[in-house]
Amino acid sequence: MALSLTVNGVQTPADVPADTPLLWVLRDVLDLKGAKYGCGIGLCGACTVQVGGRAVRSCITTVGSVGDQPVTTIEGLSPDGSHPVQVAWEALDVPQCGYCQAGQIMSAAALLAHTPHPSDAEIDSAMSGNLCRCGTYLRIRQAIHEAAGAQVAANK
């Protein structure tokens, strides 16, 4: 079935069944490898992308359910890595192994888009579906606070 998706701002055809997981379309059809396969059941968050500005688990989101909502992957968050979350991640040296970090960043960016000044509790709640086997949770929270501050400074 020929579907049309808007991925990272580009209208893109995908000739796949509507029940194909979005993750496989992104990785195998569109060659966007940033979203990772982790658990396959939406529990780890390694596959997180944004659909319509919301963080979703692409391993359990069917491509047919996306409809006309825009999809943003880590590759499309910013063309040069200048999104405040990406800058904070690098400045604070958040990743260890890095496997989960694209999903972590996409969840953090979605959080800040909807909650520009999150509390620790709001961060913990929004990020609770993203697991980090290296345990960088404190640096992740610190980076989100730093990115929130950078967004405030940029808007002044």
Side-chain angles (χ1 to χ4, degrees):
M1 165 184 264
L3 300 171
S4 182
L5 299 170
T6 302
V7 179
N8 299 331
V10 177
Q11 193 73 21
T12 308
D15 191 15
V16 297
D19 64 350
T20 303
L22 178 59
L23 177 63
W24 300 129
V25 174
L26 295 172
R27 291 184 60 81
D28 297 343
V29 176
L30 303 179
D31 201 34
L32 297 169
K33 306 294 187 188
K36 303 291 190 258
Y37 177 81
C39 65
I41 56 175
L43 297 177
C44 75
C47 67
T48 303
V49 299
Q50 293 177 11
V51 175
R54 294 179 309 107
V56 301
R57 306 302 183 249
S58 63
C59 71
I60 59 170
T61 301
T62 63
V63 70
S65 71
V66 171
D68 61 356
Q69 299 177 88
V71 176
T72 305
T73 69
I74 189 73
E75 294 90 346
L77 191 59
S78 70
D80 58 358
S82 63
H83 188 281
V85 173
Q86 292 170 306
V87 171
W89 240 249
E90 187 173 333
L92 294 174
D93 199 22
V94 171
Q96 255 181 264
C97 82
Y99 195 82
C100 70
Q101 295 305 306
Q104 300 275 4
I105 288 169
M106 295 307 292
S107 287
L111 166 65
L112 291 177
H114 294 95
T115 309
H117 309 290
S119 66
D120 283 350
E122 289 170 319
I123 292 171
D124 293 347
S125 176
M127 301 301 291
S128 66
N130 292 83
L131 303 179
C132 175
R133 290 185 175 150
C134 299
T136 64
Y137 298 112
L138 295 178
R139 290 195 311 252
I140 289 168
R141 186 190 300 150
Q142 184 181 0
I144 292 170
H145 282 301
E146 186 165 310
Q151 286 183 331
V152 168
N155 290 334
K156 287 185 181 182

